[in-house]
Amino acid sequence: MLKGTGASEGIGIGTIMLIEEVSLDYTPTKVEDPEQEILRFQEAVQKFIHETEAQAEALKASAGEKEAEIMLGHVSMIQDPYMTGEAERLIREGQCAEAAFESVSDMFINMFANVEDEMMRQRAADIRDIKSGLLAVLLGVKEVKVSDAPAGTVLLAKELTPSVTAGINKDNIVGIITETGGKTSHSAILARALEIPAVLSVENATGILKNGDFVIVDGSKGDVISDPDGETVKEYTEKREKFLQERRELEQYRGKKTVNANGTEYELVCNIGKPQDAEKVVAGDGEGVGLFRTEFLFMDRDAMPTEEEQFEAYKKAALILKGKPLIIRTLDIGGDKEIPYMGLAKEENPFMGFRAIRYCLKNRDLFKTQLRAILRASAFGDIKIMFPLITCLEELREGKALVEEVKNELRLSSVSEFNENIDVGVMIETASAAVIADVLAPEADFFSIGTNDLTGYTMSCDRGNADVAYLYSVLQPGVLRLIRRTIQCGRENGIPVGMCGEAAANPQLIPLLISFGLTEFSVSAPSVLKVRKCISKWSKTEADKIAEKVMAMKTEEEIAAYLETIV
Ligand code: PEP
Ligand code: MG
């Protein structure tokens, strides 16, 4: 069995078609008439653009708009004036079009290939793809077309370029195997959009597997089984049927309301880190955003994002969501989220230290800039503000006072368009906040329980420390009591209570949350349909019975063992 990265779920069983790279060899020549050569170069660029746009059009039909944008990105890149200008400059110096374009492309590839950031490294793969595409046009050679692959084909390639992937007919391609690429590579994104099982980064796959080999691709686990025996094929055929059946079943929940077995409605929203993730929310059938982790806008850069940059980011998310709710959490840095240019001092105990709302309240300019950007964006959607790591009422009051201060300043300035009644909510993710939920609720517009931190702070244990990780469980009686209490206090004060920690998608916890009276579940976009299905299974009476039993139990072990039996 070969191991790789499972990048697109599902099982594919079929025959290998090896995508070999065509030879793009040429002998560099010195050109006599550079202007004529530039013309040849420009014509090749136009032809490349034309072909790529046609591929994008085909991709739009098979995989969707967003995937087609990858191909259109190639069109923008090759039109970059620096790229073409530099190639033309080299041609004027006497190089042939092939050599000129290759050297400009290689310069960009080297620049992008060695950076830490995976997204930037992806750029190098894009430019490699553009380079071979344009060289193929210049040399008049045809790149392999996968569009003619017969039914039951498993594509195998060193690297599956978007231009090759674009030709995929999803009725015939049952699996994809590559030697490079991770979960966020374009091949992975496309494979997922086309719902084709894919295993990427399989070491030396093109050396081990041959054209015509019979294989099983398990995209859920990241396994490739070559030459399987009859028993294994039977086993995986059953697995594939089960997977497809589950996928079909989940599809029934698309476009439906989120209701329990009694018909009580819940809000099922998503967690995002970047404005463009809102597209995944819409595609995944999420009903809005329950947590926008804004710290990602502050990471991977050298300086603070300006008010304008933040405003654009929040507005973008709001516009994509078209009026669906968008809860924006104010900056939650510190602890495990470091931002080098902010110059945070090294602390003995960063998780207990100067972080999140504590940092923002002491750095008012930075905080007010963010609040101003959020308020301005509130003219474009149903935006709410949420404060992280609240531990006492003073912090909530101070934060709210700053929101009012910014509103006043906006009124006095020329900006009058913002939601005067914007909701301000509290993340309940510290033990103290949960214990004083009765004190916080009358002054908050909503709660959202952050179980990731609440579990750690309640159990006084660091998830990263393997020696104490056994304590880190949301099923600990201490954590469950705080969750129940928070929801109860919210209900008594008439405010909605959501959950945006990972536990919101935990099928074992869902009946308890229904029983306690949670009103909103915020989960990752790909889990929406699964969670909607899970919620639909429970009636309030059944959920209450389970909750009653669980809350009478004394240990996590007992609770976990019992909940194992109910889902
Ligand atoms: C949480 O703590 O549960 C949470 C959702 O916030 P984060 O994971 O960003 O700390
Ligand atoms: Mg948190």
PDB file of all heavy atoms in Angstrom, residues 521-542:
ATOM      1  N   PHE A 521     -25.454  26.827  16.274  1.00  0.00           N
ATOM      2  CA  PHE A 521     -24.265  25.965  16.173  1.00  0.00           C
ATOM      3  C   PHE A 521     -23.353  26.570  15.113  1.00  0.00           C
ATOM      4  O   PHE A 521     -23.787  26.763  13.977  1.00  0.00           O
ATOM      5  CB  PHE A 521     -24.655  24.552  15.726  1.00  0.00           C
ATOM      6  CG  PHE A 521     -25.514  23.800  16.707  1.00  0.00           C
ATOM      7  CD1 PHE A 521     -26.858  24.103  16.851  1.00  0.00           C
ATOM      8  CD2 PHE A 521     -24.978  22.777  17.482  1.00  0.00           C
ATOM      9  CE1 PHE A 521     -27.660  23.409  17.752  1.00  0.00           C
ATOM     10  CE2 PHE A 521     -25.768  22.066  18.380  1.00  0.00           C
ATOM     11  CZ  PHE A 521     -27.120  22.388  18.517  1.00  0.00           C
ATOM     12  N   SER A 522     -22.097  26.853  15.461  1.00  0.00           N
ATOM     13  CA  SER A 522     -21.176  27.403  14.460  1.00  0.00           C
ATOM     14  C   SER A 522     -20.064  26.390  14.212  1.00  0.00           C
ATOM     15  O   SER A 522     -19.274  26.079  15.113  1.00  0.00           O
ATOM     16  CB  SER A 522     -20.608  28.741  14.923  1.00  0.00           C
ATOM     17  OG  SER A 522     -19.982  29.380  13.839  1.00  0.00           O
ATOM     18  N   VAL A 523     -20.001  25.879  12.984  1.00  0.00           N
ATOM     19  CA  VAL A 523     -19.109  24.750  12.676  1.00  0.00           C
ATOM     20  C   VAL A 523     -18.318  25.055  11.401  1.00  0.00           C
ATOM     21  O   VAL A 523     -18.537  26.074  10.756  1.00  0.00           O
ATOM     22  CB  VAL A 523     -19.953  23.461  12.493  1.00  0.00           C
ATOM     23  CG1 VAL A 523     -20.774  23.165  13.732  1.00  0.00           C
ATOM     24  CG2 VAL A 523     -20.882  23.569  11.271  1.00  0.00           C
ATOM     25  N   SER A 524     -17.426  24.148  11.011  1.00  0.00           N
ATOM     26  CA  SER A 524     -16.681  24.376   9.773  1.00  0.00           C
ATOM     27  C   SER A 524     -17.627  24.139   8.591  1.00  0.00           C
ATOM     28  O   SER A 524     -18.558  23.319   8.685  1.00  0.00           O
ATOM     29  CB  SER A 524     -15.491  23.422   9.694  1.00  0.00           C
ATOM     30  OG  SER A 524     -15.959  22.115   9.482  1.00  0.00           O
ATOM     31  N   ALA A 525     -17.384  24.836   7.478  1.00  0.00           N
ATOM     32  CA  ALA A 525     -18.328  24.760   6.348  1.00  0.00           C
ATOM     33  C   ALA A 525     -18.580  23.327   5.868  1.00  0.00           C
ATOM     34  O   ALA A 525     -19.734  22.962   5.599  1.00  0.00           O
ATOM     35  CB  ALA A 525     -17.859  25.660   5.211  1.00  0.00           C
ATOM     36  N   PRO A 526     -17.532  22.470   5.775  1.00  0.00           N
ATOM     37  CA  PRO A 526     -17.819  21.115   5.282  1.00  0.00           C
ATOM     38  C   PRO A 526     -18.655  20.265   6.246  1.00  0.00           C
ATOM     39  O   PRO A 526     -19.134  19.206   5.859  1.00  0.00           O
ATOM     40  CB  PRO A 526     -16.420  20.493   5.115  1.00  0.00           C
ATOM     41  CG  PRO A 526     -15.464  21.634   5.120  1.00  0.00           C
ATOM     42  CD  PRO A 526     -16.090  22.707   5.941  1.00  0.00           C
ATOM     43  N   SER A 527     -18.816  20.704   7.512  1.00  0.00           N
ATOM     44  CA  SER A 527     -19.605  19.883   8.453  1.00  0.00           C
ATOM     45  C   SER A 527     -21.077  20.262   8.491  1.00  0.00           C
ATOM     46  O   SER A 527     -21.854  19.605   9.200  1.00  0.00           O
ATOM     47  CB  SER A 527     -19.086  20.034   9.889  1.00  0.00           C
ATOM     48  OG  SER A 527     -17.733  20.169   9.954  1.00  0.00           O
ATOM     49  N   VAL A 528     -21.472  21.311   7.769  1.00  0.00           N
ATOM     50  CA  VAL A 528     -22.839  21.824   7.916  1.00  0.00           C
ATOM     51  C   VAL A 528     -23.905  20.734   7.727  1.00  0.00           C
ATOM     52  O   VAL A 528     -24.760  20.533   8.592  1.00  0.00           O
ATOM     53  CB  VAL A 528     -23.089  22.999   6.930  1.00  0.00           C
ATOM     54  CG1 VAL A 528     -24.573  23.314   6.803  1.00  0.00           C
ATOM     55  CG2 VAL A 528     -22.340  24.238   7.412  1.00  0.00           C
ATOM     56  N   LEU A 529     -23.834  20.016   6.599  1.00  0.00           N
ATOM     57  CA  LEU A 529     -24.900  19.049   6.318  1.00  0.00           C
ATOM     58  C   LEU A 529     -24.909  17.917   7.346  1.00  0.00           C
ATOM     59  O   LEU A 529     -25.972  17.458   7.766  1.00  0.00           O
ATOM     60  CB  LEU A 529     -24.778  18.508   4.893  1.00  0.00           C
ATOM     61  CG  LEU A 529     -24.908  19.557   3.776  1.00  0.00           C
ATOM     62  CD1 LEU A 529     -24.807  18.898   2.401  1.00  0.00           C
ATOM     63  CD2 LEU A 529     -26.212  20.344   3.878  1.00  0.00           C
ATOM     64  N   LYS A 530     -23.690  17.494   7.767  1.00  0.00           N
ATOM     65  CA  LYS A 530     -23.611  16.420   8.767  1.00  0.00           C
ATOM     66  C   LYS A 530     -24.276  16.863  10.073  1.00  0.00           C
ATOM     67  O   LYS A 530     -25.021  16.109  10.691  1.00  0.00           O
ATOM     68  CB  LYS A 530     -22.142  16.094   9.079  1.00  0.00           C
ATOM     69  CG  LYS A 530     -21.559  15.065   8.152  1.00  0.00           C
ATOM     70  CD  LYS A 530     -20.153  14.690   8.614  1.00  0.00           C
ATOM     71  CE  LYS A 530     -19.305  14.324   7.414  1.00  0.00           C
ATOM     72  NZ  LYS A 530     -17.900  14.493   7.563  1.00  0.00           N
ATOM     73  N   VAL A 531     -23.977  18.100  10.489  1.00  0.00           N
ATOM     74  CA  VAL A 531     -24.545  18.600  11.751  1.00  0.00           C
ATOM     75  C   VAL A 531     -26.062  18.781  11.615  1.00  0.00           C
ATOM     76  O   VAL A 531     -26.821  18.443  12.524  1.00  0.00           O
ATOM     77  CB  VAL A 531     -23.851  19.920  12.185  1.00  0.00           C
ATOM     78  CG1 VAL A 531     -24.537  20.528  13.394  1.00  0.00           C
ATOM     79  CG2 VAL A 531     -22.375  19.663  12.488  1.00  0.00           C
ATOM     80  N   ARG A 532     -26.496  19.262  10.432  1.00  0.00           N
ATOM     81  CA  ARG A 532     -27.943  19.448  10.237  1.00  0.00           C
ATOM     82  C   ARG A 532     -28.662  18.106  10.355  1.00  0.00           C
ATOM     83  O   ARG A 532     -29.715  17.999  10.978  1.00  0.00           O
ATOM     84  CB  ARG A 532     -28.204  20.087   8.865  1.00  0.00           C
ATOM     85  CG  ARG A 532     -29.646  20.473   8.664  1.00  0.00           C
ATOM     86  CD  ARG A 532     -29.842  21.280   7.401  1.00  0.00           C
ATOM     87  NE  ARG A 532     -29.304  22.622   7.509  1.00  0.00           N
ATOM     88  CZ  ARG A 532     -28.790  23.311   6.480  1.00  0.00           C
ATOM     89  NH1 ARG A 532     -28.740  22.773   5.285  1.00  0.00           N
ATOM     90  NH2 ARG A 532     -28.328  24.523   6.660  1.00  0.00           N
ATOM     91  N   LYS A 533     -28.037  17.080   9.777  1.00  0.00           N
ATOM     92  CA  LYS A 533     -28.644  15.743   9.844  1.00  0.00           C
ATOM     93  C   LYS A 533     -28.685  15.266  11.301  1.00  0.00           C
ATOM     94  O   LYS A 533     -29.700  14.755  11.773  1.00  0.00           O
ATOM     95  CB  LYS A 533     -27.808  14.771   9.004  1.00  0.00           C
ATOM     96  CG  LYS A 533     -28.322  13.363   9.043  1.00  0.00           C
ATOM     97  CD  LYS A 533     -27.456  12.429   8.226  1.00  0.00           C
ATOM     98  CE  LYS A 533     -27.905  11.000   8.459  1.00  0.00           C
ATOM     99  NZ  LYS A 533     -26.928  10.046   7.979  1.00  0.00           N
ATOM    100  N   CYS A 534     -27.586  15.466  11.994  1.00  0.00           N
ATOM    101  CA  CYS A 534     -27.494  14.999  13.376  1.00  0.00           C
ATOM    102  C   CYS A 534     -28.548  15.690  14.254  1.00  0.00           C
ATOM    103  O   CYS A 534     -29.227  15.031  15.045  1.00  0.00           O
ATOM    104  CB  CYS A 534     -26.073  15.282  13.878  1.00  0.00           C
ATOM    105  SG  CYS A 534     -25.783  14.640  15.493  1.00  0.00           S
ATOM    106  N   ILE A 535     -28.710  16.998  14.091  1.00  0.00           N
ATOM    107  CA  ILE A 535     -29.699  17.730  14.891  1.00  0.00           C
ATOM    108  C   ILE A 535     -31.103  17.182  14.605  1.00  0.00           C
ATOM    109  O   ILE A 535     -31.928  17.018  15.509  1.00  0.00           O
ATOM    110  CB  ILE A 535     -29.627  19.251  14.592  1.00  0.00           C
ATOM    111  CG1 ILE A 535     -28.316  19.835  15.127  1.00  0.00           C
ATOM    112  CG2 ILE A 535     -30.830  19.994  15.189  1.00  0.00           C
ATOM    113  CD1 ILE A 535     -28.057  21.285  14.756  1.00  0.00           C
ATOM    114  N   SER A 536     -31.349  16.857  13.328  1.00  0.00           N
ATOM    115  CA  SER A 536     -32.705  16.443  12.936  1.00  0.00           C
ATOM    116  C   SER A 536     -33.128  15.132  13.603  1.00  0.00           C
ATOM    117  O   SER A 536     -34.311  14.820  13.684  1.00  0.00           O
ATOM    118  CB  SER A 536     -32.780  16.286  11.417  1.00  0.00           C
ATOM    119  OG  SER A 536     -32.136  15.092  11.031  1.00  0.00           O
ATOM    120  N   LYS A 537     -32.142  14.368  14.079  1.00  0.00           N
ATOM    121  CA  LYS A 537     -32.478  13.046  14.645  1.00  0.00           C
ATOM    122  C   LYS A 537     -33.065  13.115  16.056  1.00  0.00           C
ATOM    123  O   LYS A 537     -33.702  12.179  16.514  1.00  0.00           O
ATOM    124  CB  LYS A 537     -31.217  12.176  14.697  1.00  0.00           C
ATOM    125  CG  LYS A 537     -30.753  11.716  13.329  1.00  0.00           C
ATOM    126  CD  LYS A 537     -29.804  10.552  13.435  1.00  0.00           C
ATOM    127  CE  LYS A 537     -28.623  10.891  14.322  1.00  0.00           C
ATOM    128  NZ  LYS A 537     -27.494  10.004  14.205  1.00  0.00           N
ATOM    129  N   TRP A 538     -32.783  14.217  16.765  1.00  0.00           N
ATOM    130  CA  TRP A 538     -33.146  14.247  18.187  1.00  0.00           C
ATOM    131  C   TRP A 538     -34.421  15.015  18.482  1.00  0.00           C
ATOM    132  O   TRP A 538     -34.592  16.132  18.036  1.00  0.00           O
ATOM    133  CB  TRP A 538     -32.004  14.880  19.001  1.00  0.00           C
ATOM    134  CG  TRP A 538     -30.743  14.085  18.907  1.00  0.00           C
ATOM    135  CD1 TRP A 538     -29.638  14.403  18.185  1.00  0.00           C
ATOM    136  CD2 TRP A 538     -30.475  12.836  19.545  1.00  0.00           C
ATOM    137  NE1 TRP A 538     -28.690  13.418  18.319  1.00  0.00           N
ATOM    138  CE2 TRP A 538     -29.173  12.445  19.153  1.00  0.00           C
ATOM    139  CE3 TRP A 538     -31.206  12.006  20.398  1.00  0.00           C
ATOM    140  CZ2 TRP A 538     -28.589  11.264  19.595  1.00  0.00           C
ATOM    141  CZ3 TRP A 538     -30.617  10.834  20.839  1.00  0.00           C
ATOM    142  CH2 TRP A 538     -29.326  10.473  20.436  1.00  0.00           C
ATOM    143  N   SER A 539     -35.285  14.383  19.274  1.00  0.00           N
ATOM    144  CA  SER A 539     -36.429  15.147  19.792  1.00  0.00           C
ATOM    145  C   SER A 539     -36.003  15.700  21.144  1.00  0.00           C
ATOM    146  O   SER A 539     -35.063  15.186  21.764  1.00  0.00           O
ATOM    147  CB  SER A 539     -37.648  14.228  19.974  1.00  0.00           C
ATOM    148  OG  SER A 539     -37.419  13.357  21.076  1.00  0.00           O
ATOM    149  N   LYS A 540     -36.716  16.713  21.587  1.00  0.00           N
ATOM    150  CA  LYS A 540     -36.359  17.337  22.872  1.00  0.00           C
ATOM    151  C   LYS A 540     -36.472  16.302  23.996  1.00  0.00           C
ATOM    152  O   LYS A 540     -35.598  16.218  24.871  1.00  0.00           O
ATOM    153  CB  LYS A 540     -37.282  18.535  23.101  1.00  0.00           C
ATOM    154  CG  LYS A 540     -37.059  19.280  24.400  1.00  0.00           C
ATOM    155  CD  LYS A 540     -35.805  20.127  24.334  1.00  0.00           C
ATOM    156  CE  LYS A 540     -35.692  21.131  25.473  1.00  0.00           C
ATOM    157  NZ  LYS A 540     -35.756  20.603  26.803  1.00  0.00           N
ATOM    158  N   THR A 541     -37.504  15.474  23.959  1.00  0.00           N
ATOM    159  CA  THR A 541     -37.699  14.489  25.032  1.00  0.00           C
ATOM    160  C   THR A 541     -36.540  13.503  25.097  1.00  0.00           C
ATOM    161  O   THR A 541     -36.007  13.222  26.172  1.00  0.00           O
ATOM    162  CB  THR A 541     -39.016  13.701  24.799  1.00  0.00           C
ATOM    163  OG1 THR A 541     -39.973  14.615  24.295  1.00  0.00           O
ATOM    164  CG2 THR A 541     -39.492  13.022  26.026  1.00  0.00           C
ATOM    165  N   GLU A 542     -36.119  13.003  23.918  1.00  0.00           N
ATOM    166  CA  GLU A 542     -34.997  12.053  23.904  1.00  0.00           C
ATOM    167  C   GLU A 542     -33.719  12.734  24.381  1.00  0.00           C
ATOM    168  O   GLU A 542     -32.940  12.159  25.148  1.00  0.00           O
ATOM    169  CB  GLU A 542     -34.750  11.541  22.480  1.00  0.00           C
ATOM    170  CG  GLU A 542     -35.756  10.536  21.984  1.00  0.00           C
ATOM    171  CD  GLU A 542     -35.653  10.383  20.464  1.00  0.00           C
ATOM    172  OE1 GLU A 542     -35.325  11.372  19.777  1.00  0.00           O
ATOM    173  OE2 GLU A 542     -35.895   9.285  20.005  1.00  0.00           O
TER     174      GLU A 542
END
